[in-house]
Protein backbone atom coordinates (compact mmCIF):
# COMPACT_ATOMS: atom_id res chain seq x y z
CA UNK A 1 0.00 0.00 0.00
CA UNK A 2 2.89 2.32 0.81
CA UNK A 3 4.40 2.11 -2.66
CA UNK A 4 1.02 1.97 -4.37
CA UNK A 5 0.27 5.32 -2.76
CA UNK A 6 3.58 6.67 -4.00
CA UNK A 7 2.79 5.38 -7.49
CA UNK A 8 -0.57 7.12 -7.64
CA UNK A 9 0.97 10.28 -6.23
CA UNK A 10 3.68 10.43 -8.88
CA UNK A 11 1.28 9.50 -11.67
CA UNK A 12 -0.82 12.53 -10.75
CA UNK A 13 2.35 14.65 -10.68
CA UNK A 14 3.25 13.57 -14.20
CA UNK A 15 -0.33 14.24 -15.33
CA UNK A 16 0.03 17.80 -14.10
CA UNK A 17 3.25 18.44 -15.94
CA UNK A 18 1.95 16.78 -19.08
CA UNK A 19 -0.67 19.55 -19.03
CA UNK A 20 2.11 21.97 -19.93
CA UNK A 21 2.75 19.99 -23.09
CA UNK A 22 -0.80 19.10 -24.08
CA UNK A 23 -1.45 22.62 -25.34
CA UNK A 24 1.43 22.28 -27.78
CA UNK A 25 1.38 18.71 -29.04
CA UNK A 26 -1.63 17.28 -30.80
CA UNK A 27 -1.61 13.74 -29.38
CA UNK A 28 -0.94 13.70 -25.64
CA UNK A 29 -2.08 10.10 -25.08
CA UNK A 30 1.50 8.80 -24.84
CA UNK A 31 2.35 11.27 -22.10
CA UNK A 32 -0.82 10.29 -20.23
CA UNK A 33 -0.22 6.54 -20.43
CA UNK A 34 3.52 6.67 -19.82
CA UNK A 35 3.52 6.49 -15.97
CA UNK A 36 0.91 3.70 -16.05
CA UNK A 37 2.97 1.69 -18.51
CA UNK A 38 6.14 2.16 -16.44
CA UNK A 39 4.42 0.84 -13.32
CA UNK A 40 2.99 -2.07 -15.28
CA UNK A 41 6.46 -3.02 -16.51
CA UNK A 42 7.66 -2.65 -12.91
CA UNK A 43 5.42 -5.55 -11.87
CA UNK A 44 6.74 -7.69 -14.73
CA UNK A 45 10.47 -7.01 -14.34
CA UNK A 46 10.31 -7.23 -10.55
CA UNK A 47 8.55 -10.58 -10.79
CA UNK A 48 11.27 -11.85 -13.09
CA UNK A 49 13.91 -10.55 -10.69
CA UNK A 50 12.22 -12.32 -7.77
CA UNK A 51 11.94 -15.59 -9.71
CA UNK A 52 15.63 -15.35 -10.65
CA UNK A 53 16.66 -15.63 -6.99
CA UNK A 54 18.24 -19.01 -6.47
CA UNK A 55 20.50 -20.38 -3.77
CA UNK A 56 23.46 -22.55 -4.80
CA UNK A 57 24.03 -24.26 -1.47
CA UNK A 58 23.33 -28.00 -1.26
CA UNK A 59 21.53 -28.74 2.01
CA UNK A 60 23.10 -32.20 2.12
CA UNK A 61 26.64 -30.82 2.08
CA UNK A 62 28.06 -28.95 5.05
CA UNK A 63 29.45 -25.74 3.57
CA UNK A 64 29.37 -22.15 4.89
CA UNK A 65 25.97 -20.48 4.69
CA UNK A 66 25.51 -18.22 1.67
CA UNK A 67 25.10 -14.51 2.24
CA UNK A 68 21.36 -13.86 1.75
CA UNK A 69 22.03 -10.21 0.91
CA UNK A 70 24.26 -11.24 -2.00
CA UNK A 71 21.50 -13.44 -3.37
CA UNK A 72 18.93 -10.64 -3.05
CA UNK A 73 21.28 -8.20 -4.77
CA UNK A 74 21.68 -10.55 -7.73
CA UNK A 75 17.93 -10.53 -8.18
CA UNK A 76 17.92 -6.73 -7.86
CA UNK A 77 20.60 -6.48 -10.55
CA UNK A 78 18.45 -8.57 -12.91
CA UNK A 79 15.49 -6.30 -12.17
CA UNK A 80 17.51 -3.15 -12.85
CA UNK A 81 18.80 -4.42 -16.21
CA UNK A 82 15.29 -5.33 -17.35
CA UNK A 83 13.93 -2.03 -15.99
CA UNK A 84 16.45 -0.05 -18.08
CA UNK A 85 15.49 -1.95 -21.24
CA UNK A 86 11.75 -1.58 -20.72
CA UNK A 87 12.09 2.07 -19.73
CA UNK A 88 13.97 2.94 -22.91
CA UNK A 89 11.37 1.05 -24.93
CA UNK A 90 8.50 2.81 -23.15
CA UNK A 91 9.92 6.27 -23.76
CA UNK A 92 10.52 5.55 -27.46
CA UNK A 93 7.01 4.17 -27.78
CA UNK A 94 5.06 6.78 -25.81
CA UNK A 95 7.16 9.95 -25.60
CA UNK A 96 8.28 10.27 -29.21
CA UNK A 97 6.98 13.39 -30.95
CA UNK A 98 7.79 14.77 -34.38
CA UNK A 99 8.15 18.30 -32.99
CA UNK A 100 11.15 17.11 -30.92
CA UNK A 101 12.41 13.83 -32.42
CA UNK A 102 15.25 13.35 -29.90
CA UNK A 103 13.22 14.21 -26.80
CA UNK A 104 12.44 10.56 -26.06
CA UNK A 105 16.17 9.80 -25.78
CA UNK A 106 16.68 12.63 -23.29
CA UNK A 107 13.75 11.35 -21.24
CA UNK A 108 15.18 7.83 -21.41
CA UNK A 109 18.36 9.19 -19.89
CA UNK A 110 16.26 10.94 -17.24
CA UNK A 111 14.80 7.55 -16.37
CA UNK A 112 18.29 6.09 -16.26
CA UNK A 113 19.25 8.82 -13.79
CA UNK A 114 16.34 7.78 -11.59
CA UNK A 115 17.23 4.08 -11.77
CA UNK A 116 20.86 4.81 -10.88
CA UNK A 117 19.68 7.03 -8.02
CA UNK A 118 17.57 4.18 -6.65
CA UNK A 119 20.52 1.78 -6.86
CA UNK A 120 22.89 4.25 -5.17
CA UNK A 121 20.38 4.88 -2.38
CA UNK A 122 20.09 1.15 -1.75
CA UNK A 123 23.89 0.85 -1.71
CA UNK A 124 24.35 3.80 0.68
CA UNK A 125 21.78 2.46 3.12
CA UNK A 126 23.36 -0.99 2.96
CA UNK A 127 26.78 0.53 3.64
CA UNK A 128 25.59 2.29 6.78
CA UNK A 129 23.46 -0.58 8.17
CA UNK A 130 25.11 -3.88 7.14
CA UNK A 131 27.63 -5.22 9.67
CA UNK A 132 29.93 -6.31 6.84
CA UNK A 133 30.89 -2.67 6.34
CA UNK A 134 32.97 -0.31 8.44
CA UNK A 135 30.31 1.99 10.00
CA UNK A 136 28.43 -0.76 11.86
CA UNK A 137 31.68 -2.50 12.86
CA UNK A 138 32.97 0.77 14.30
CA UNK A 139 29.68 1.16 16.13
CA UNK A 140 30.02 -2.34 17.55
CA UNK A 141 33.61 -1.62 18.60
CA UNK A 142 32.45 1.44 20.53
CA UNK A 143 30.36 -0.90 22.72
CA UNK A 144 33.57 -2.23 24.26
CA UNK A 145 33.97 1.03 26.19
CA UNK A 146 30.43 1.25 27.55
CA UNK A 147 26.80 2.12 26.89
CA UNK A 148 27.36 5.82 26.39
CA UNK A 149 30.07 5.57 23.75
CA UNK A 150 27.90 3.11 21.81
CA UNK A 151 24.99 5.55 21.73
CA UNK A 152 27.24 8.49 20.83
CA UNK A 153 28.70 6.50 17.93
CA UNK A 154 25.20 5.50 16.81
CA UNK A 155 23.90 9.07 16.86
CA UNK A 156 26.91 10.37 14.93
CA UNK A 157 26.55 7.55 12.37
CA UNK A 158 22.90 8.44 11.82
CA UNK A 159 23.66 12.14 11.42
CA UNK A 160 26.55 11.44 9.04
CA UNK A 161 24.43 9.14 6.88
CA UNK A 162 22.40 12.15 5.69
CA UNK A 163 25.29 13.60 3.66
CA UNK A 164 25.69 11.15 0.76
CA UNK A 165 21.94 10.84 -0.01
CA UNK A 166 21.59 14.62 -0.21
CA UNK A 167 24.51 14.85 -2.63
CA UNK A 168 23.03 12.05 -4.76
CA UNK A 169 19.60 13.70 -4.83
CA UNK A 170 21.15 17.06 -5.76
CA UNK A 171 23.07 15.56 -8.67
CA UNK A 172 19.98 13.63 -9.80
CA UNK A 173 17.74 16.69 -9.80
CA UNK A 174 20.26 18.77 -11.72
CA UNK A 175 20.93 16.00 -14.25
CA UNK A 176 17.28 15.17 -14.89
CA UNK A 177 16.26 18.83 -15.11
CA UNK A 178 19.07 19.58 -17.57
CA UNK A 179 18.26 16.56 -19.76
CA UNK A 180 14.60 17.58 -19.87
CA UNK A 181 15.48 21.22 -20.46
CA UNK A 182 17.60 20.29 -23.51
CA UNK A 183 15.11 17.75 -24.88
CA UNK A 184 13.74 20.17 -27.49
CA UNK A 185 10.25 20.58 -26.00
CA UNK A 186 9.27 24.27 -26.12
CA UNK A 187 6.18 26.34 -25.31
CA UNK A 188 4.34 28.81 -27.53
CA UNK A 189 7.04 31.44 -27.03
CA UNK A 190 9.86 29.03 -27.89
CA UNK A 191 11.12 28.67 -24.31
CA UNK A 192 12.26 25.19 -23.16
CA UNK A 193 9.53 23.51 -21.14
CA UNK A 194 10.77 19.97 -20.53
CA UNK A 195 12.96 20.49 -17.47
CA UNK A 196 10.43 19.65 -14.78
CA UNK A 197 8.91 16.88 -16.87
CA UNK A 198 12.41 15.38 -17.03
CA UNK A 199 12.48 15.37 -13.23
CA UNK A 200 9.10 13.63 -13.22
CA UNK A 201 10.41 11.00 -15.64
CA UNK A 202 13.45 10.48 -13.38
CA UNK A 203 11.05 9.86 -10.50
CA UNK A 204 9.27 7.28 -12.66
CA UNK A 205 12.64 5.68 -13.34
CA UNK A 206 13.44 5.52 -9.64
CA UNK A 207 10.11 3.77 -9.02
CA UNK A 208 10.49 1.36 -11.94
CA UNK A 209 11.86 -1.29 -9.53
CA UNK A 210 9.58 -0.45 -6.60
CA UNK A 211 7.90 -3.88 -6.52
CA UNK A 212 11.23 -5.64 -6.00
CA UNK A 213 12.24 -3.16 -3.29
CA UNK A 214 8.89 -3.76 -1.59
CA UNK A 215 9.58 -7.49 -1.68
CA UNK A 216 12.92 -6.92 0.05
CA UNK A 217 11.09 -4.90 2.68
CA UNK A 218 8.69 -7.78 3.35
CA UNK A 219 11.66 -10.13 3.77
CA UNK A 220 12.69 -8.29 6.96
CA UNK A 221 9.70 -8.91 9.26
CA UNK A 222 9.25 -12.44 7.91
CA UNK A 223 12.84 -13.34 8.83
CA UNK A 224 12.47 -11.57 12.19
CA UNK A 225 9.34 -13.52 13.11
CA UNK A 226 10.89 -16.76 11.89
CA UNK A 227 13.74 -16.21 14.32
CA UNK A 228 11.28 -15.61 17.15
CA UNK A 229 9.40 -18.85 16.33
CA UNK A 230 12.66 -20.81 16.26
CA UNK A 231 13.67 -19.43 19.64
CA UNK A 232 10.28 -20.00 21.31
CA UNK A 233 10.04 -23.54 19.96
CA UNK A 234 13.50 -24.33 21.39
CA UNK A 235 15.05 -25.41 18.10
CA UNK A 236 18.74 -26.45 17.99
CA UNK A 237 21.38 -23.72 18.04
CA UNK A 238 22.33 -24.52 14.43
CA UNK A 239 18.84 -23.49 13.30
CA UNK A 240 19.02 -20.29 15.33
CA UNK A 241 22.34 -19.40 13.69
CA UNK A 242 20.67 -19.52 10.27
CA UNK A 243 17.70 -17.38 11.32
CA UNK A 244 20.04 -14.86 12.98
CA UNK A 245 21.82 -14.34 9.66
CA UNK A 246 18.48 -13.94 7.88
CA UNK A 247 17.27 -11.51 10.57
CA UNK A 248 20.39 -9.34 10.19
CA UNK A 249 19.88 -9.19 6.43
CA UNK A 250 16.21 -8.37 7.03
CA UNK A 251 17.19 -5.36 9.12
CA UNK A 252 19.31 -4.12 6.22
CA UNK A 253 16.59 -4.67 3.61
CA UNK A 254 14.06 -2.78 5.74
CA UNK A 255 16.49 0.12 6.02
CA UNK A 256 17.19 0.13 2.27
CA UNK A 257 13.47 0.31 1.56
CA UNK A 258 13.08 3.35 3.79
CA UNK A 259 16.08 5.00 2.12
CA UNK A 260 14.56 4.25 -1.29
CA UNK A 261 11.26 5.82 -0.21
CA UNK A 262 13.00 8.94 1.11
CA UNK A 263 14.93 9.36 -2.14
CA UNK A 264 11.81 9.13 -4.28
CA UNK A 265 10.05 11.57 -1.97
CA UNK A 266 12.92 14.03 -2.37
CA UNK A 267 12.62 13.96 -6.17
CA UNK A 268 8.86 14.39 -5.93
CA UNK A 269 9.12 17.25 -3.46
CA UNK A 270 11.31 19.17 -5.89
CA UNK A 271 8.74 18.59 -8.60
CA UNK A 272 5.80 19.73 -6.50
CA UNK A 273 7.75 22.64 -4.99
CA UNK A 274 8.46 23.86 -8.51
CA UNK A 275 4.82 23.33 -9.45
CA UNK A 276 3.76 25.49 -6.53
CA UNK A 277 6.10 28.31 -7.57
CA UNK A 278 4.89 28.18 -11.18
CA UNK A 279 1.28 28.20 -10.02
CA UNK A 280 1.90 31.28 -7.87
CA UNK A 281 3.74 32.98 -10.74
CA UNK A 282 0.86 32.21 -13.09
CA UNK A 283 -1.80 33.74 -10.82
CA UNK A 284 0.29 36.63 -9.51
CA UNK A 285 1.83 37.36 -12.92
CA UNK A 286 5.17 37.95 -11.22
CA UNK A 287 8.34 35.82 -11.15
CA UNK A 288 8.50 33.53 -8.12
CA UNK A 289 11.69 31.45 -8.07
CA UNK A 290 13.78 29.92 -5.32
CA UNK A 291 16.65 27.42 -5.27
CA UNK A 292 15.71 24.02 -3.84
CA UNK A 293 19.08 22.26 -4.02
CA UNK A 294 20.91 24.99 -2.12
CA UNK A 295 18.49 24.47 0.75
CA UNK A 296 19.13 20.72 0.76
CA UNK A 297 22.88 21.24 0.87
CA UNK A 298 22.59 23.85 3.65
CA UNK A 299 20.52 21.54 5.84
CA UNK A 300 22.89 18.66 5.14
CA UNK A 301 25.85 20.72 6.37
CA UNK A 302 24.24 21.03 9.81
CA UNK A 303 23.75 17.29 10.17
CA UNK A 304 27.20 16.41 8.85
CA UNK A 305 28.87 18.97 11.12
CA UNK A 306 26.95 17.63 14.14
CA UNK A 307 27.88 14.07 13.20
CA UNK A 308 31.58 14.85 13.02
CA UNK A 309 31.47 16.78 16.31
CA UNK A 310 29.73 13.91 18.15
CA UNK A 311 32.02 11.34 16.53
CA UNK A 312 35.06 13.31 17.69
CA UNK A 313 33.86 13.17 21.31
CA UNK A 314 33.07 9.47 20.96
CA UNK A 315 36.52 8.60 19.63
CA UNK A 316 38.21 10.67 22.32
CA UNK A 317 36.08 9.07 25.04
CA UNK A 318 37.11 5.62 23.84
CA UNK A 319 40.78 6.62 24.02
CA UNK A 320 40.32 7.94 27.56
CA UNK A 321 38.45 4.80 28.70
CA UNK A 322 41.20 2.56 27.29
CA UNK A 323 43.86 4.66 29.02
CA UNK A 324 42.01 4.49 32.35
CA UNK A 325 41.63 0.73 32.05
CA UNK A 326 45.32 0.40 31.27
CA UNK A 327 46.25 2.37 34.37
CA UNK A 328 43.92 0.28 36.54
CA UNK A 329 45.62 -2.90 35.30
CA UNK A 330 49.18 -1.59 35.64
CA UNK A 331 48.52 0.25 38.91
CA UNK A 332 46.01 -1.81 40.94
CA UNK A 333 46.61 0.39 43.98
CA UNK A 334 44.68 3.26 42.34
CA UNK A 335 41.36 1.80 43.47
CA UNK A 336 42.61 1.67 47.08
CA UNK A 337 44.13 5.18 46.89
CA UNK A 338 47.59 3.65 47.40
CA UNK A 339 48.84 4.81 44.00
CA UNK A 340 48.23 8.07 42.19
CA UNK A 341 46.81 7.97 38.63
CA UNK A 342 48.62 9.60 35.73
CA UNK A 343 46.18 12.45 35.23
CA UNK A 344 48.48 14.15 32.77
CA UNK A 345 48.11 11.38 30.22
CA UNK A 346 44.31 11.70 30.12
CA UNK A 347 44.52 15.49 29.93
CA UNK A 348 46.99 15.20 27.04
CA UNK A 349 44.65 12.86 25.14
CA UNK A 350 41.72 15.25 25.50
CA UNK A 351 43.75 18.39 24.74
CA UNK A 352 45.32 17.02 21.56
CA UNK A 353 41.99 15.57 20.37
CA UNK A 354 40.21 18.89 20.89
CA UNK A 355 42.54 20.46 18.33
CA UNK A 356 42.97 17.55 15.94
CA UNK A 357 39.34 16.47 15.71
CA UNK A 358 37.95 19.91 14.89
CA UNK A 359 40.05 20.39 11.76
CA UNK A 360 37.56 18.51 9.56
CA UNK A 361 34.38 20.24 10.85
CA UNK A 362 36.10 23.62 10.62
CA UNK A 363 37.17 23.00 7.04
CA UNK A 364 33.60 21.97 6.21
CA UNK A 365 32.28 25.35 7.40
CA UNK A 366 34.82 27.32 5.40
CA UNK A 367 35.09 25.32 2.19
CA UNK A 368 31.45 24.29 1.60
CA UNK A 369 29.89 27.68 0.70
CA UNK A 370 32.87 28.56 -1.49
CA UNK A 371 32.75 25.29 -3.44
CA UNK A 372 28.95 25.34 -3.82
CA UNK A 373 28.89 28.98 -4.94
CA UNK A 374 31.70 28.54 -7.45
CA UNK A 375 30.33 25.30 -8.95
CA UNK A 376 26.84 26.74 -9.44
CA UNK A 377 28.31 29.96 -10.81
CA UNK A 378 30.01 27.89 -13.53
CA UNK A 379 26.81 25.91 -14.10
CA UNK A 380 24.80 29.13 -14.33
CA UNK A 381 27.27 30.55 -16.84
CA UNK A 382 26.72 27.63 -19.22
CA UNK A 383 22.94 27.49 -18.75
CA UNK A 384 22.23 31.19 -19.07
CA UNK A 385 21.58 31.91 -15.38
CA UNK A 386 24.32 34.36 -14.32
CA UNK A 387 23.13 34.69 -10.71
CA UNK A 388 22.66 30.97 -10.09
CA UNK A 389 25.74 30.70 -7.85
CA UNK A 390 24.64 33.59 -5.63
CA UNK A 391 21.08 32.24 -5.42
CA UNK A 392 22.18 28.75 -4.43
CA UNK A 393 24.51 30.10 -1.74
CA UNK A 394 21.69 32.32 -0.44
CA UNK A 395 19.43 29.26 -0.14
CA UNK A 396 22.26 27.30 1.48
CA UNK A 397 22.77 30.03 4.08
CA UNK A 398 19.05 30.42 4.78
CA UNK A 399 18.37 26.71 5.27
CA UNK A 400 21.61 26.14 7.20
CA UNK A 401 20.66 28.94 9.59
CA UNK A 402 17.15 27.61 10.19
CA UNK A 403 18.28 23.98 10.51
CA UNK A 404 21.22 25.01 12.67
CA UNK A 405 19.03 26.91 15.13
CA UNK A 406 16.64 23.98 15.51
CA UNK A 407 19.41 21.39 15.76
CA UNK A 408 21.31 23.46 18.34
CA UNK A 409 18.17 23.82 20.46
CA UNK A 410 17.59 20.08 20.27
CA UNK A 411 21.17 19.18 21.21
CA UNK A 412 21.50 21.72 24.01
CA UNK A 413 18.12 20.99 25.60
CA UNK A 414 18.38 17.20 25.34
CA UNK A 415 21.92 17.25 26.75
CA UNK A 416 20.98 19.42 29.71
CA UNK A 417 17.88 17.35 30.44
CA UNK A 418 19.92 14.11 30.42
CA UNK A 419 22.42 15.60 32.85
CA UNK A 420 19.80 16.89 35.28
CA UNK A 421 17.82 13.64 35.11
CA UNK A 422 20.89 11.92 36.50
CA UNK A 423 21.28 14.61 39.18
CA UNK A 424 17.62 14.17 40.18
CA UNK A 425 18.05 10.42 40.66
CA UNK A 426 21.20 11.04 42.70
CA UNK A 427 19.08 13.02 45.18
CA UNK A 428 17.44 9.71 46.15
CA UNK A 429 14.56 9.59 43.68
CA UNK A 430 13.75 6.37 41.77
CA UNK A 431 16.17 4.29 43.82
CA UNK A 432 19.03 6.75 44.06
CA UNK A 433 22.68 6.05 43.27
CA UNK A 434 23.55 2.53 42.19
CA UNK A 435 20.01 1.66 41.10
CA UNK A 436 19.10 0.49 37.59
CA UNK A 437 17.52 3.89 36.97
CA UNK A 438 20.78 5.57 37.93
CA UNK A 439 22.79 3.34 35.56
CA UNK A 440 20.46 4.25 32.70
CA UNK A 441 20.69 7.95 33.62
CA UNK A 442 24.50 7.79 33.60
CA UNK A 443 24.36 6.43 30.06
CA UNK A 444 22.04 9.28 29.08
CA UNK A 445 24.34 11.83 30.70
CA UNK A 446 27.31 10.39 28.78
CA UNK A 447 25.42 10.88 25.53
CA UNK A 448 24.21 14.32 26.57
CA UNK A 449 27.70 15.67 27.20
CA UNK A 450 28.76 15.87 23.52
CA UNK A 451 25.28 17.15 22.69
CA UNK A 452 25.33 20.13 25.05
CA UNK A 453 29.07 20.73 25.35
CA UNK A 454 30.39 20.09 21.83
CA UNK A 455 27.98 19.73 18.91
CA UNK A 456 25.29 22.12 20.22
CA UNK A 457 27.52 25.07 21.10
CA UNK A 458 29.58 24.57 17.93
CA UNK A 459 26.58 25.06 15.67
CA UNK A 460 26.24 28.77 16.47
CA UNK A 461 29.87 29.15 15.36
CA UNK A 462 29.05 27.27 12.16
CA UNK A 463 26.07 29.52 11.43
CA UNK A 464 28.08 32.70 11.92
CA UNK A 465 31.00 31.31 9.94
CA UNK A 466 28.77 30.44 6.97
CA UNK A 467 27.24 33.93 7.00
CA UNK A 468 30.65 35.57 7.18
CA UNK A 469 32.17 33.44 4.42
CA UNK A 470 29.25 34.01 2.05
CA UNK A 471 29.39 37.76 2.64
CA UNK A 472 33.15 38.00 2.09
CA UNK A 473 33.11 35.70 -0.97
CA UNK A 474 29.97 37.20 -2.57
CA UNK A 475 31.88 38.71 -5.57
CA UNK A 476 33.22 35.24 -6.44
CA UNK A 477 29.68 33.92 -6.85
CA UNK A 478 28.62 36.59 -9.37
Amino acid sequence: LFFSGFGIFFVLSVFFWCGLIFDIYADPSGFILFPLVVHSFDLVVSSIGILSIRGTRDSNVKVPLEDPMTILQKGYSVTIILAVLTFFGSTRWLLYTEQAPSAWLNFSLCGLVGIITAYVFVWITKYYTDYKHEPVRTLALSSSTGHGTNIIAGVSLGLESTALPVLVISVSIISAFWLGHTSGLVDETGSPTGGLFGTAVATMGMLSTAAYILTMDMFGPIADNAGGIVEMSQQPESVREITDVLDAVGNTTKATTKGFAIGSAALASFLLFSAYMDEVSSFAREPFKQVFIGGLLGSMLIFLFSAWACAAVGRTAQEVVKEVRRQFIERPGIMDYKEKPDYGRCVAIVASASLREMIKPGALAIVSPIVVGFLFRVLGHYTGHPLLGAKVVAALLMFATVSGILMALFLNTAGGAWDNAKKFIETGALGGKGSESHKAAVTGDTVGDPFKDTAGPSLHVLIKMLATITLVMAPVFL
Side-chain angles (χ1 to χ4, degrees):
L1 291 177
F2 180 72
F3 279 103
S4 297
F6 263 117
I8 296 171
F9 179 74
F10 291 129
V11 167
L12 293 176
S13 300
V14 175
F15 270 58
F16 176 83
W17 287 113
C18 283
L20 297 177
I21 303 172
F22 295 165
D23 295 335
I24 307 168
Y25 301 103
D27 184 14
S29 59
F31 290 88
I32 295 175
L33 295 175
F34 175 72
L36 302 176
V37 171
V38 169
H39 282 293
S40 299
F41 275 124
D42 171 26
L43 297 176
V44 176
V45 301
S46 295
S47 298
I48 296 173
I50 293 168
L51 294 173
S52 69
I53 297 175
R54 289 288 185 275
T56 58
R57 180 174 178 264
D58 187 350
S59 58
N60 297 321
V61 181
K62 290 186 177 181
V63 295
L65 184 66
E66 290 179 284
D67 182 7
M69 194 65 197
T70 301
I71 298 174
L72 290 173
Q73 283 184 314
K74 288 179 181 178
Y76 185 47
S77 299
V78 172
T79 304
I80 285 180
I81 293 172
L82 294 176
V84 171
L85 296 177
T86 57
F87 203 94
F88 271 70
S90 299
T91 51
R92 178 61 179 84
W93 173 32
L94 296 170
L95 301 185
Y96 176 80
T97 175
E98 293 182 357
Q99 288 87 342
S102 62
W104 73 271
L105 181 58
N106 283 49
F107 292 135
S108 297
L109 295 176
C110 289
L112 183 61
V113 168
I115 294 172
I116 293 173
T117 300
Y119 181 81
V120 173
F121 257 81
V122 169
W123 183 88
I124 291 173
T125 308
K126 178 178 177 293
Y127 173 75
Y128 277 107
T129 57
D130 195 333
Y131 62 67
K132 295 180 179 63
H133 299 290
E134 188 65 24
V136 175
R137 296 197 173 203
T138 302
L139 178 58
L141 182 63
S142 67
S143 303
S144 62
T145 51
H147 300 196
T149 51
N150 171 272
I151 298 177
I152 293 171
V155 170
S156 65
L157 187 153
L159 292 172
E160 182 182 318
S161 67
T162 62
L164 284 178
V166 167
L167 294 177
V168 171
I169 284 295
S170 300
V171 172
S172 300
I173 291 174
I174 294 173
S175 302
F177 188 89
W178 180 80
L179 287 169
H181 188 75
T182 58
S183 64
L185 296 180
V186 295
D187 59 16
E188 296 174 347
T189 63
S191 301
T193 187
L196 292 173
F197 185 73
T199 308
V201 174
T203 307
M204 291 290 103
M206 190 169 185
L207 289 170
S208 63
T209 58
Y212 190 92
I213 296 293
L214 181 60
T215 303
M216 292 176 66
D217 183 50
M218 292 298 101
F219 174 83
I222 292 172
D224 191 2
N225 288 330
I229 293 171
V230 167
E231 187 173 9
M232 289 186 293
S233 59
Q234 298 181 347
Q235 296 296 313
E237 188 65 25
S238 58
V239 178
R240 183 62 184 172
E241 290 176 359
I242 294 174
T243 56
D244 283 345
V245 173
L246 295 175
D247 190 13
V249 172
N251 290 333
T252 301
T253 58
K254 286 186 288 186
T256 57
T257 305
K258 295 176 180 66
F260 177 87
I262 292 169
S264 61
L267 284 176
S269 64
F270 168 77
L271 182 66
L272 297 177
F273 183 64
S274 300
Y276 167 75
M277 292 191 297
D278 283 352
E279 192 77 1
V280 172
S281 297
S282 176
F283 283 103
R285 300 185 183 279
E286 291 184 9
F288 184 69
K289 295 291 183 182
Q290 297 293 334
V291 182
F292 183 83
I293 296 174
L296 274 178
L297 294 175
S299 300
M300 179 269 288
L301 285 180
I302 298 300
F303 281 81
L304 185 58
F305 183 91
S306 301
W308 286 352
C310 289
V313 176
R315 285 191 295 268
T316 306
Q318 292 179 54
E319 291 182 33
V320 172
V321 169
K322 291 176 182 178
E323 174 61 24
V324 170
R325 289 176 177 174
R326 183 190 65 81
Q327 292 192 30
F328 281 159
I329 294 173
E330 295 180 358
R331 303 180 183 183
I334 292 177
M335 296 298 295
D336 300 327
Y337 299 98
K338 296 178 181 178
E339 293 185 75
K340 194 173 182 179
D342 183 5
Y343 298 112
R345 176 59 187 156
C346 291
V347 172
I349 291 174
V350 175
S352 61
S354 65
L355 300 175
R356 181 183 68 251
E357 294 286 356
M358 291 309 294
I359 294 176
K360 191 164 63 170
L364 179 70
I366 296 172
V367 174
S368 296
I370 299 175
V371 171
V372 170
F374 182 76
L375 287 179
F376 279 90
R377 174 194 172 183
V378 174
L379 182 62
H381 173 74
Y382 286 104
T383 57
H385 297 83
L387 293 179
L388 183 62
K391 290 181 178 179
V392 172
V393 171
L396 181 148
L397 177 61
M398 179 176 65
F399 277 71
T401 301
V402 173
S403 300
I405 292 170
L406 297 177
M407 178 65 81
L409 289 171
F410 155 66
L411 294 174
N412 292 333
T413 305
W418 261 318
D419 195 344
N420 284 332
K422 185 195 72 169
K423 295 290 194 300
F424 175 66
I425 293 175
E426 288 175 348
T427 63
L430 302 174
K433 290 185 178 181
S435 65
E436 291 300 319
S437 298
H438 184 249
K439 293 176 183 178
V442 169
T443 299
D445 182 35
T446 306
V447 178
D449 281 342
F451 275 35
K452 66 183 176 61
D453 297 332
T454 305
S458 299
L459 283 176
H460 79 86
V461 180
L462 173 63
I463 294 170
K464 295 172 184 174
M465 180 67 73
L466 288 174
T468 303
I469 293 297
T470 54
L471 177 61
V472 173
M473 301 300 294
V476 177
F477 308 144
L478 301 177

